[in-house]
Amino acid sequence: MPPGVEVRLGSAVTHIDLEARTATVAGEALAFDKLVLATGSRNSAFPVADDDAEVHQLRSLDDARLLDAAARRSRSAVVIGSGFIGCEAAASLALRGVETTLVTPEDGPQQARLGHHLSDQIASWLGDLGVELRTGVNVTGVEAPRTVHLDDGTTLAPDLVLAAVGVEAAAGELFEGTGLQLHEGRVVADEYLAAAPDVWVVGDASRALNAGAGRPIPVEHWGDALSMGELAGANAAAGEGERRAWSDVPGFFSTIGEHTIKYLAWGDGHEKEEVVDRTGGFTIWYADASDVVVGVLTYNADDDYERGEALISAGATLTEVLAGARAEDPAHEEDA
């Protein structure tokens, strides 16, 4: 551990007093000159399950160990939710020989967020692994120990149930009464990630103004939490005129079976999508109603991913991006 750094494991902050500049840990008020809030998120509650139903969630290392142990003794599984955690987990369970069913209210995995093309592709990848997709259905209850009831009248009785239904800010109640501005449990911050004088907030706990997007953006991706942490630390140590604004385009990687997709986007939806085929892969460009590119997703098309952030940040139009994409792709030149 570097000199001057003290780590307290197994300890929780129970109170923050910004006026007194103290954080209470295990009954002890620790004084601070500067404070960085990085409290993360927790799994959203799954309210339709019996209290004693065996429903796994996946957030922590302990969760992963429990899920691994359950998978070792299971022949069948139901995964609830078709976000990336749900799709990744369903693929991993199937690869371990567990007969897996994925249940989702969406018409296809990630369809609402990322469009029909990628949704169909994910469904194909999952199907190739033997995952059964139950789309357009909701779970109405999980009866102890592991009986899953769906709103189409179907009842499933797997050996393992995993709920992957999203997250919520982990420590919103800790910040209540501190004077910090909150939005849906997240701490509101400016483009420097500052939430109050000498207080910074990063990661899932933050609803910070992104200077590139020109609006507040909550993010739930670990890569962004890392970069925001580095920026907040640098800004906390810098002088007033030396602080840097947060302007990164949020994004993440996701590996579903043997297939890795890469995504960058402002994260508040799109109106258009355009698919560009690549050798052994594809790129999807997303645009808003004004034809401005707001996101990119790639599969085996790293060149597009690497230039995507600059194009999104620059506010390039879909027409401009596609003209450049097609001109740079030998496959399209051959077609011409």
Side-chain angles (χ1 to χ4, degrees):
M1 190 63 61
V5 176
E6 179 183 356
V7 176
R8 298 198 180 190
L9 302 176
S11 302
V13 175
T14 57
H15 181 70
I16 295 172
D17 188 329
L18 296 185
E19 185 174 347
R21 291 180 176 262
T22 60
T24 302
V25 180
E28 179 185 359
L30 301 179
F32 63 81
D33 294 316
K34 298 181 180 181
L35 178 67
V36 177
L37 306 173
T39 51
S41 58
R42 60 190 171 208
N43 288 321
S44 298
F46 190 62
V48 299
D50 289 352
D51 290 341
D52 55 347
E54 297 174 15
V55 178
H56 288 267
Q57 294 189 315
L58 183 55
R59 185 68 183 172
S60 67
L61 180 59
D62 285 342
D63 290 339
R65 286 170 172 160
L66 289 171
L67 182 61
D68 175 65
R72 291 174 186 274
R73 58 178 182 267
S74 297
R75 298 182 62 183
S76 61
V78 167
V79 176
I80 303 168
S82 60
F84 283 113
I85 295 297
C87 291
E88 291 172 7
S92 297
L93 288 165
L95 283 167
R96 295 176 64 153
V98 179
E99 184 178 325
T100 303
T101 301
L102 187 147
V103 176
T104 176
E106 291 191 271
D107 292 332
Q110 289 292 305
Q111 188 177 110
R113 182 181 192 182
L114 298 174
H116 289 273
H117 183 83
L118 184 69
S119 179
D120 291 345
Q121 191 65 72
I122 293 174
S124 175
W125 292 337
L126 292 173
D128 289 344
L129 294 174
V131 175
E132 179 186 357
L133 288 176
R134 300 275 187 111
T135 59
V137 293
N138 289 281
V139 174
T140 58
V142 180
E143 184 182 349
R146 295 173 304 277
T147 301
V148 181
H149 298 283
L150 307 181
D151 62 2
D152 64 358
T154 303
T155 297
L156 306 173
D159 300 323
L160 183 157
V161 178
L162 170 65
V165 294
V167 297
E168 60 189 22
E173 62 277 3
L174 176 64
F175 307 132
E176 292 177 0
T178 61
L180 295 171
Q181 183 180 351
L182 302 178
H183 183 274
E184 297 179 349
R186 291 182 169 89
V187 179
V188 176
D190 65 15
E191 67 269 34
Y192 303 105
L193 307 181
D198 297 321
V199 179
W200 289 263
V201 58
V202 302
D204 293 19
S206 168
R207 188 177 189 270
L209 176 65
N210 185 290
R215 58 188 177 276
I217 296 181
V219 293
E220 297 172 352
H221 316 315
W222 65 264
D224 291 296
L226 287 174
S227 62
M228 292 173 80
E230 292 174 359
L231 179 60
N235 283 346
E240 187 69 34
E242 301 171 344
R243 292 172 183 168
R244 293 183 292 113
W246 177 49
S247 60
D248 297 345
V249 180
F252 60 86
F253 293 5
S254 178
T255 299
I256 300 170
E258 298 179 349
H259 307 281
T260 297
I261 56 178
K262 302 179 180 182
Y263 178 66
L264 289 165
W266 294 129
D268 42 11
H270 62 274
E271 295 294 329
K272 311 173 187 177
E273 60 178 282
E274 186 74 25
V275 180
V276 178
D277 291 327
R278 296 302 195 191
T279 303
F282 58 83
T283 296
I284 306 175
W285 296 99
Y286 301 96
D288 63 16
S290 300
D291 202 47
V292 174
V293 171
V294 295
V296 62
L297 183 144
T298 64
Y299 172 61
N300 290 341
D302 287 350
D303 288 349
D304 284 340
Y305 179 82
E306 289 170 3
R307 70 193 187 99
E309 181 167 12
L311 290 167
I312 296 167
S313 295
T317 67
L318 184 59
T319 301
E320 292 168 341
V321 168
L322 291 178
R326 296 187 191 283
E328 293 170 12
D329 187 351
H332 287 288
E333 292 180 353
E334 291 171 8
D335 291 343

